[in-house]
Amino acid sequence: MMESTFVDNSDNGPLSKEAVNLIASTSLSVSEKHHLRMLAHCLQCFKSMRIENEEGLIPGKESWLEWCLKNPKMFNDDEFVQVLFEQFSGAAVQLERLANRLKVAPLDLTLNNLIDAYEESDCSKP
């Protein structure tokens, strides 16, 4: 089995090196690790958008846009923003589903919650 050739971009991304290493150390398949990294990335992005959101809910699309506008590199790449919003939409559904199952607010989920959900799931989605 080939090991993932994930490029460590932790200096520029929301996931810490420790989080990336924790995901890499799981027994999940390369594909599952990729999906898990993407979901964890989205969760961290949502948490960074959290402004006066004591309920811990996933921010709305207006917040996504405001967040993107604060990063000029993203704002200058319409195609990337479109793909990112598609990822955010899918991640929001998965995170809300897992949060409901665990009876916690979506933004209170942790990386360990995500890993546990992937390790317990046959379909590699929380």
Side-chain angles (χ1 to χ4, degrees):
M1 175 188 258
M2 274 182 43
E3 190 52 41
S4 172
T5 56
F6 178 71
V7 176
D8 182 1
N9 199 18
S10 58
D11 291 340
N12 297 322
L15 292 181
S16 68
K17 188 173 278 260
E18 292 79 18
V20 171
N21 289 339
L22 183 59
I23 293 169
S25 72
T26 67
S27 61
L28 299 171
S29 72
V30 171
S31 175
E32 289 169 328
K33 288 178 185 180
H34 173 71
H35 287 128
L36 180 55
R37 275 192 302 270
M38 291 184 61
L39 190 61
H41 180 274
C42 290
L43 177 59
Q44 287 309 115
C45 290
F46 291 147
K47 286 182 178 187
S48 74
M49 295 174 202
R50 188 179 194 167
I51 299 170
E52 297 178 24
N53 183 353
E54 277 99 44
E55 301 88 27
L57 302 176
I58 301 290
K61 290 184 181 182
E62 314 78 40
S63 296
W64 303 356
L65 182 58
E66 287 174 26
W67 184 79
C68 285
L69 290 174
K70 291 178 184 174
N71 185 333
K73 286 183 181 177
M74 275 193 266
F75 184 63
N76 291 332
D77 188 344
D78 291 341
E79 189 175 329
F80 176 78
V81 171
Q82 182 179 350
V83 170
L84 182 65
F85 275 36
E86 289 171 13
Q87 292 299 320
F88 280 170
S89 294
V93 170
Q94 290 181 356
L95 293 168
E96 287 169 348
R97 188 179 306 140
L98 178 59
N100 286 337
R101 200 166 73 223
L102 298 178
K103 298 181 180 7
V104 299
L107 295 185
D108 290 338
L109 290 168
T110 66
L111 178 57
N112 285 331
N113 294 140
L114 302 182
I115 291 171
D116 290 347
Y118 269 79
E119 288 179 337
E120 294 169 3
S121 174
D122 292 332
C123 61
S124 75
K125 291 185 180 176

